[in-house]
Amino acid sequence: MKPESTALVLIEFQNDFTTPGGTLHDAVKQVMDETGTVPHAVQAADAMREAGGAVLHVPISFAPGYGEITRNPYGILAGVVDSTSFVRGEWGAEICEDLTPKDGDITIEGKRGLDAFGSTNLDFVLRSKGIDTVVLAGFLTNCCVESTMRSAYEKGFEVITLTDAVGATSPEEHANAIAYDYPMFSKPMTTEAFVEALTAEKELADSSRGY
């Protein structure tokens, strides 16, 4: 895991999910509290920056009225519309304070669906930076994170998912995705294990350069 070719992709760490008062916060609060989703994502982001890796934020947002999607949404997008979530320009669509992008971070614009690659330039940015390993965290465990994970796997990236830096609307859905789906398309690991591996690689590289 070389920091210079690794990117942490933070999916939808936005107020509507992460923060009391957010439209979907109550739905994910239990899993967030049990896993420490946000603190672990902060830990991973800090470690990536320290190691010299890339931190990418991928929020989702829609214009008022949700004109970018079908007039008759169903499934997860129907829930977004019905709850009036992630409206561009409103507080709920803003990235949460704990994960406010820092100098050097990259924010990917244009996410309108589940897969972070689908309607964005994420693939272009990753490849232009020479990234071959993507590390995923965010919401929902079994939805946008999993959709992005599958696409990254298909595109030939090495994929790592941080099992305690993702959140879902129920413990059952969260656990099921991690137990049965994540190992098929990624290398699941805890944030602690990821940070240890990243730190060890940086120390090895530093020692080889005589630092």
Side-chain angles (χ1 to χ4, degrees):
M1 189 187 305
K2 297 180 179 180
E4 64 272 16
S5 60
T6 301
L8 174 65
V9 179
L10 300 169
I11 300 171
E12 296 178 17
F13 280 94
Q14 295 162 264
N15 287 324
D16 274 338
F17 273 140
T18 62
T19 311
T23 55
L24 299 172
H25 178 66
D26 287 346
V28 298
K29 184 179 185 302
Q30 180 180 356
V31 175
M32 280 182 57
D33 290 346
E34 290 177 354
T35 64
T37 305
V38 172
H40 282 131
V42 171
Q43 181 186 3
D46 288 344
M48 280 298 297
R49 297 183 189 107
E50 177 65 22
V55 176
L56 280 67
H57 304 262
V58 190
I60 189 171
S61 66
F62 302 92
Y66 300 94
E68 301 98 331
I69 59 177
T70 176
R71 293 180 180 179
N72 299 295
Y74 62 95
I76 189 68
L77 287 179
V80 169
V81 174
D82 291 345
S83 60
T84 322
S85 300
F86 308 118
V87 177
R88 191 178 311 127
E90 295 191 1
W91 171 83
E94 295 176 2
I95 294 173
C96 67
E97 184 176 356
D98 287 344
L99 283 162
T100 299
K102 297 187 177 182
D103 290 345
D105 291 2
I106 298 169
T107 300
I108 301 295
E109 305 288 351
K111 188 175 187 296
R112 302 288 183 267
L114 311 185
D115 176 8
F117 289 94
S119 57
T120 74
N121 66 345
L122 176 59
D123 186 68
F124 173 82
V125 170
L126 293 172
R127 296 189 190 282
S128 69
K129 293 181 68 64
I131 301 298
D132 57 31
T133 301
V134 294
V135 184
L136 302 179
F139 300 91
L140 296 167
T141 308
N142 57 327
C143 186
C144 293
V145 175
E146 183 170 331
S147 295
T148 304
M149 173 188 67
R150 289 170 180 253
S151 285
Y153 181 86
E154 293 279 9
K155 291 175 181 293
F157 292 100
E158 182 173 4
V159 188
I160 294 169
T161 45
L162 302 182
T163 56
D164 53 4
V166 292
T169 56
S170 74
E172 294 79 13
E173 291 171 302
H174 175 79
N176 184 79
I178 289 173
Y180 298 107
D181 297 340
Y182 278 29
M184 295 178 67
F185 309 103
S186 74
K187 299 176 179 179
M189 66 177 64
T190 64
T191 300
E192 181 180 8
F194 165 67
V195 171
E196 288 178 354
L198 192 66
T199 302
E201 181 63 35
K202 183 177 185 298
E203 290 175 350
L204 180 62
D206 288 348
S207 65
S208 68
R209 290 193 290 262
Y211 293 169

